[in-house]
Amino acid sequence: MATETIVRRPGKVGVRTAPGPRPRKDPGRVLRLYVPLGLYLVFTLVPFYWMIVFALRPTGSTAPVPWPITFEHFETVWNDIGYAVFFRNSVVVGVLSLLFTTVVALMGGYALARFRFRGRTVFMVALLCTQFIPGAMMLIPLFTIFRGLGLINSLWSLVIADTVFNLPLSIILMSGFVAAVPFQVEEAAMVDGCTRVRAFFAVVLPQLRPGLIAVGSFAFIHTWNNFLFALMFISKQANFTIPVGLSYTIGEYSADFGALAAGGVVAAVPVVCVFAVIQRYLVHGISAGAVKG
């Protein structure tokens, strides 16, 4: 048991805590914690390892280690299959969906967090219920609407569809994050002469950076990986996105696994870089948006 010793000095009285016995490590707890985590890590990383192996080893090789290393599959995907065009289309759709989702979610989340109006609870429940509707059920209505608007084979159809499906969760998350900002701070800015809009941009918006990053990253990654909408609304090869373009490396009787793996590696690089850069903001934003409101 730790004991306290009073140390007297001229003009100062301090308390020094004597070191107690170190806690013993529980082998059972270590096994219960690290063994499942290690198994899960292996289960997660093995597919990525084999994807890299297929992308870097020569055609026809069955070695578990990519040696000698070759980049012929990356050249085939980028130049022969037209992966550069697919990559550009995915970036355009992902960035536009990110911007629209973030702006609309910011406005909707602020309204839900700051205003009390009739039907607010019903609206929140409706937003939650939309998460139970699979996207495949909306393909025919969306296709009919986009055909009437002349948006079939246009990237705008993907931007609109992905933005609409990203909004419910984004609005709920953003409303929780706005609620975490004390309204008294905003009121103080308005007392000092700011309008509500200026108080929002000057006081509230800078504190919403983690929430905006969380919402934007989810919107971008969901759009980047979306295969179903791109397959149904786009039939012109010049407007294919990465998931649809990769699917065409699989033929009826054969598949170019090397090219497919190389395309998967290139597609995964932007997502990994995004998560590496925004990880700390993402965790902060998710936790704040999940427990507030």
Side-chain angles (χ1 to χ4, degrees):
M1 181 176 180
T3 59
E4 294 184 351
T5 304
I6 299 178
V7 181
R8 298 187 180 274
R9 294 181 180 177
K12 293 184 180 180
V13 177
V15 178
R16 183 176 60 191
T17 303
R22 294 183 178 179
R24 297 180 180 179
K25 293 184 178 180
D26 183 7
R29 181 179 179 276
V30 173
L31 292 177
R32 291 192 302 268
L33 179 62
Y34 291 104
V35 171
L37 289 177
L39 293 176
Y40 178 75
L41 182 64
V42 171
F43 179 79
T44 304
L45 294 182
V46 164
F48 287 97
Y49 172 76
W50 278 109
M51 182 175 67
I52 295 173
V53 168
F54 273 97
L56 295 179
R57 71 185 182 185
T59 303
S61 175
T62 58
V65 178
W67 189 263
I69 294 177
T70 179
F71 294 97
E72 60 178 346
H73 300 305
F74 291 94
E75 296 178 0
T76 300
V77 168
W78 197 262
N79 299 324
D80 299 343
I81 300 179
Y83 199 82
V85 178
F86 307 154
F87 191 91
R88 182 196 63 194
N89 294 336
S90 290
V91 170
V92 170
V93 174
V95 171
L96 290 177
S97 179
L98 181 155
L99 293 176
F100 294 150
T101 301
T102 303
V103 172
V104 178
L106 179 61
M107 294 187 293
Y110 182 84
L112 289 176
R114 288 291 191 256
F115 301 105
R116 296 296 179 264
F117 51 88
R118 183 176 299 177
R120 176 178 177 273
T121 304
V122 176
F123 182 72
M124 290 286 291
V125 173
L127 286 179
L128 291 173
C129 290
T130 58
Q131 301 303 300
F132 298 102
I133 302 176
M137 292 181 60
M138 306 301 295
L139 285 177
I140 295 178
L142 287 174
F143 187 88
T144 304
I145 294 172
F146 291 147
R147 184 177 59 182
L149 296 175
L151 294 179
I152 296 298
N153 283 323
S154 172
L155 295 180
W156 283 108
S157 62
L158 302 182
V159 173
I160 295 173
D162 288 323
T163 301
V164 170
F165 275 82
N166 289 332
L167 277 177
L169 180 61
S170 300
I171 292 176
I172 294 172
L173 180 62
M174 187 57 66
S175 66
F177 203 84
V178 173
V181 180
F183 184 61
Q184 290 77 6
V185 178
E186 195 173 349
E187 281 183 328
M190 289 189 286
V191 169
D192 290 337
C194 292
T195 62
R196 185 153 200 156
V197 175
R198 185 177 178 183
F200 171 78
F201 283 102
V203 177
V204 180
L205 188 60
Q207 301 184 55
L208 298 179
R209 184 172 59 177
L212 293 174
I213 293 175
V215 169
S217 61
F218 276 127
F220 178 80
I221 292 170
H222 176 267
T223 304
W224 184 270
N225 295 327
N226 197 313
F227 171 77
L228 189 59
F229 290 161
L231 179 66
M232 296 302 298
F233 302 149
I234 304 294
S235 59
K236 187 186 300 183
Q237 186 173 359
N239 291 335
F240 282 169
T241 55
I242 286 178
V244 179
L246 286 180
S247 68
Y248 278 81
T249 61
I250 303 176
E252 184 177 0
Y253 300 106
S254 62
D256 189 349
F257 291 108
L260 184 63
V265 170
V266 176
V269 168
V271 178
V272 173
C273 293
V274 168
F275 270 108
V277 172
I278 67 172
Q279 181 182 6
R280 60 192 182 101
Y281 298 108
L282 185 64
V283 174
H284 185 194
I286 294 174
S287 61
V291 301
K292 300 292 184 181

